[in-house]
Amino acid sequence: MSAQPVRKIRSFLFSAGLLLALSGCDAIQQKLGIEAPAAKAARLEGEGKAVGGACRQSGRAIEDCYSIYSWLPKAAIYEGWRDMDVYMRENKLPTVEPQLPPPQPPGSKKAKPAAARANAAGEAGGDAREGAADGAKAEAKGEAKGEAKGEAKGGGQH
């Protein structure tokens, strides 16, 4: 057997072995964004319970939580909401009104904060006002030139 095919086989086997060894490494999977289905389900379950409890504490209806957090499992949201409801009733805790609007679902475009929108509108409005003022000045100059031409032609009728 010649050395060339043996070298190719050896490099292929080495690459395959290395690939197999690295595919089981959790650090590599995390870097690549690969998540095991069971781990993802467990993570979403925990997040759903936390969100459900927070919704109940803030006085949000369970249906609102379902629609706001549509990417989380409904069963987990309900379980967290129910557990927090029992806890709040037992300890006679009042609801805490939310200070911020609900978050956007993942994958949706983020809206600009109100302050940024106001600044953008103020800048755009300022530009528009300056443009309008410039237009009015130009119009006034045009009328003045027209009057001057009319007077020069011997009219001057007003």
Side-chain angles (χ1 to χ4, degrees):
M1 231 170 136
S2 69
Q4 188 69 10
V6 171
R7 187 176 300 150
K8 285 185 178 180
I9 292 172
R10 219 180 264 160
S11 66
F12 173 76
L13 289 175
F14 177 75
S15 317
L18 186 63
L19 185 64
L20 268 173
L22 291 178
S23 68
C25 183
D26 290 338
I28 300 294
Q29 286 182 350
Q30 282 183 333
K31 295 237 186 236
L32 295 175
I34 302 169
E35 190 173 9
K40 184 176 182 180
R43 181 179 53 84
L44 290 177
E45 181 81 16
E47 287 179 12
K49 286 180 183 178
V51 163
C55 281
R56 172 57 188 100
Q57 185 179 15
S58 66
R60 265 202 187 104
I62 189 74
E63 294 82 11
D64 294 343
C65 287
Y66 290 156
S67 63
I68 294 169
Y69 301 97
S70 59
W71 67 93
L72 294 173
K74 287 183 178 181
I77 293 174
Y78 175 72
E79 189 175 344
W81 196 93
R82 187 188 62 217
D83 291 345
M84 181 57 82
D85 185 57
V86 168
Y87 179 80
M88 289 178 72
R89 287 176 193 268
E90 286 175 355
N91 294 302
K92 297 181 176 99
L93 297 174
T95 59
V96 178
E97 295 300 320
Q99 300 296 316
L100 299 174
Q104 296 292 326
S108 66
K109 291 185 177 183
K110 292 185 177 181
K112 289 183 180 178
R117 282 194 303 258
N119 288 341
E123 291 170 4
D127 293 344
R129 280 177 268 166
E130 290 169 7
D134 291 343
K137 288 177 187 175
E139 206 172 285
K141 282 183 181 179
E143 289 175 4
K145 285 181 182 179
E147 289 175 4
K149 285 181 183 179
E151 290 174 4
K153 289 183 179 179
Q157 299 171 359
H158 291 275

